[in-house]
Amino acid sequence: MASDRTQVTDAPPAPHPGPDTQVPPDPDTHETTYWLEHAWLESHVEHGVTIGVTGGRIAAVSTRADAPPPGATVLRGLTLPGLANAHSHAFHRALRSTVQVGSGTFWTWREVMYGIAAKLTPETYHALARAVYAEMALAGITSVGEFHYLHHAPDGTPYDNPNAMGEALLAAAAEAGIRITLLDTAYLASGISDRRGGKPPERHQLRFSDGTADAWAERASALEDSDHARIGAAIHSVRAVPAEQLATVAEWAGARDAPLHVHLSEQTAENDACLAVHGRTPTRLLADHGVLGSRTTGVHNTHLTDEDIALLGSSRTGTCMCPTTERDLADGIGPAARLQEAGSPLSLGSDSHAVIDILEEARAMELDERLRTRRRGHWTANALLRAATADGHAALGRPDAGRIERGALADLVTIALDSVRTAGTLPRLGAETAVFAASAADVRHTVVGGRHLVRDGVHTLVPDVPTALAESVAALRG
């Protein structure tokens, strides 16, 4: 029998990368009422739910409302809390389809990625990210964790504003209407080495590096939280942050009670190098330098030992699975079920944006485990949806999001129950329909902070998202 395992915008203006940037007006703060034809309330689906919204938060929830009250906005279909995309590299969206030519490994894919990274400026990154975040809104994502390491000019020279690239992302999220946790990333070395400071950055990595963790911390400290944005930290990986500097990043995040994310054991080559130089696994190295803990999320967590799993679980370090990217890059299948059983909360991310569809990520996590074990039903649909909602938002430093309950942020997504994928399903099995039948294409409405951001499949702030994507990606070619 399947077990239900999961422990699993108010968007105001953000900093501008240039004078031509347009920022949407603040969302309405007056009282708004939504009537949900069907609503997923974590353990079950309820028909006829009315929610009142005040100041961007849910002020009241009423069930058994068979008809919409006067003046209510009607959301027909199945409404869930807004989805959380806990791991994103926005610029990877420009790689979609182009990296599917030929064969190779993660490492050959990385060379193509470096080529795109080298072409980005604050202006072109802003345009691309705005379109990517708008695509996320159309997919029902209301909050994104942006794992950001493109800090400087391609030769490593800081911009006049050292945070020009990060602020471009903050502005892009505000204009697309979604929340962002900017996980400002320390990326200081090209590989693990027994020399202090690790291997120097390679040519394509110069723009990622601040030189030292102290310099990274000084630059990141200039970034500030806002209503739509949280500033967190990230350690790119143990190959990119030398062991003696890991604690600096962890202490910076701890002093701010900020989320801390890290790519962990995505590749066996990283594990081998860490064992060769440090005599321990990447997970043990992070533990020994104070990185693990309940505010920390390991991304991928693919190639782990039994001890690694126990360390992550006992420390309550989270796990962000990105199945569509992990399968696209042939990385392997991480031990998600064992991690959660050990105590590691699960979240989901679209990472390289081979597709942007958190419902597919939830489905893939279960189906990958079925392939590995040749057994069905490792998580219930309710558990998978909690990984995609409440636990994902918590990993991004937003424990007040991801639930349809009084006091929570009024972030919602409505999935059609009459599409070719979902027609004929039973509303009471809405969770199963959402995870195992629906896709991002079935999202009809997205509400962020009480603002109706996507109406009937149309983004209200970026009305032509395909054109915005096409133009911003084309600007990086050639």
Side-chain angles (χ1 to χ4, degrees):
M1 178 182 295
S3 62
D4 193 356
R5 293 186 176 132
T6 308
Q7 305 161 50
V8 220
T9 64
D10 20 0
H16 297 240
D20 296 330
T21 300
Q22 298 297 314
V23 175
D26 289 350
D28 293 336
T29 56
H30 62 267
E31 294 186 2
T32 304
T33 300
Y34 287 94
W35 181 80
L36 319 179
E37 183 181 23
H38 304 284
W40 178 70
L41 303 180
E42 286 204 69
S43 62
H44 68 288
V45 172
E46 189 86 29
H47 170 72
V49 175
T50 301
I51 66 169
V53 177
T54 301
R57 292 185 178 270
I58 298 174
V61 179
S62 301
T63 59
R64 300 182 182 178
D66 290 336
T73 298
V74 174
L75 302 181
R76 294 207 177 274
L78 173 69
T79 297
L80 315 169
L83 303 176
N85 187 352
H87 189 66
S88 163
H89 301 289
F91 76 95
H92 288 188
R93 176 60 179 81
L95 300 171
R96 189 179 293 180
S97 78
T98 63
V99 289
Q100 303 302 339
V101 178
S103 60
T105 65
F106 166 85
W107 307 102
T108 54
W109 170 89
R110 189 176 71 157
E111 293 304 312
V112 181
M113 179 270 287
Y114 283 158
I116 290 293
K119 296 177 181 178
L120 287 160
T121 67
E123 292 74 25
T124 58
Y125 203 8
H126 169 263
L128 176 61
R130 176 177 176 269
V132 172
Y133 296 152
E135 180 182 357
M136 291 185 191
L138 291 173
I141 294 163
T142 58
S143 189
V144 60
E146 184 61 41
F147 201 102
H148 167 58
Y149 54 84
L150 270 67
H151 301 308
H152 308 298
D155 64 356
T157 302
Y159 291 103
D160 290 341
N161 172 3
N163 285 307
M165 294 292 268
E167 290 181 3
L169 293 167
L170 297 176
E175 293 171 42
I178 70 171
R179 306 180 194 277
I180 184 171
T181 297
L182 186 71
L183 298 160
D184 196 281
T185 304
Y187 192 133
L188 309 172
S190 63
I192 299 172
S193 170
D194 55 6
R195 59 177 285 181
R196 188 169 183 82
K199 296 179 182 178
E202 297 174 357
R203 177 173 58 90
H204 287 306
Q205 299 164 333
L206 291 173
R207 72 180 314 180
F208 308 162
S209 178
D210 291 292
T212 66
D214 286 334
W216 165 84
E218 181 179 1
R219 179 187 52 72
S221 294
L223 293 163
E224 297 182 352
D225 288 352
S226 67
D227 286 341
H228 92 288
R230 297 284 183 272
I231 307 302
I235 292 165
H236 180 274
S237 56
V238 297
R239 58 187 161 82
V241 177
E244 71 273 9
Q245 300 187 59
L246 292 169
T248 299
V249 184
E251 290 166 5
W252 185 95
R256 290 159 178 76
D257 196 26
L260 173 62
H261 288 212
V262 54
H263 290 135
L264 179 57
S265 288
E266 182 179 5
Q267 297 293 325
T268 56
E270 175 183 291
N271 290 2
D272 294 343
C274 195
L275 286 165
V277 173
H278 298 296
R280 65 199 81 178
T281 67
T283 302
R284 170 53 73 181
L285 187 69
L286 294 176
D288 290 348
H289 288 274
V291 175
L292 303 186
S294 59
R295 285 181 297 96
T296 301
T297 297
V299 182
H300 304 304
N301 292 0
T302 306
H303 304 286
L304 303 178
T305 66
D306 291 345
E307 182 192 21
D308 292 340
I309 293 171
L311 282 170
L312 293 168
S314 62
S315 64
R316 302 291 298 162
T317 300
T319 294
C320 180
M321 301 299 294
C322 306
T324 66
T325 291
E326 289 150 5
R327 71 191 185 199
D328 183 59
L329 298 182
D331 286 344
I333 301 171
R338 291 185 60 202
L339 281 160
Q340 191 170 58
E341 287 170 351
S344 177
L346 299 181
S347 56
L348 298 163
S350 63
D351 192 359
S352 69
H353 310 317
V355 297
I356 294 178
D357 188 340
I358 295 300
L359 298 176
E360 169 63 19
E361 304 293 346
R363 173 164 54 246
M365 187 165 70
E366 165 66 25
L367 297 185
D368 282 354
E369 195 68 15
R370 292 182 186 186
L371 285 173
R372 184 218 299 276
T373 63
R374 291 178 290 175
R375 183 170 60 84
R376 304 175 76 236
H378 300 271
W379 291 274
T380 65
N382 287 331
L384 293 167
L385 283 181
R386 283 200 294 276
T389 56
D391 289 344
H393 290 290
L396 299 180
R398 295 189 181 275
D400 53 350
R403 294 180 174 86
I404 299 177
E405 63 182 32
R406 185 177 179 182
L409 291 168
D411 296 356
L412 309 168
V413 54
T414 302
I415 296 168
L417 295 179
D418 58 358
S419 75
V420 293
R421 287 164 293 278
T422 61
T425 57
L426 298 172
R428 66 180 175 80
L429 298 178
E432 288 75 11
T433 299
V435 173
F436 294 107
S439 75
D442 297 309
V443 171
R444 293 294 176 266
H445 303 283
T446 303
V447 174
V448 181
R451 176 170 59 192
H452 203 164
L453 180 65
V454 174
R455 297 174 185 262
D456 296 313
V458 176
H459 199 296
T460 60
L461 301 180
V462 188
D464 190 352
V465 178
T467 296
L469 285 164
E471 291 178 348
S472 60
V473 171
L476 302 176
R477 292 190 178 133

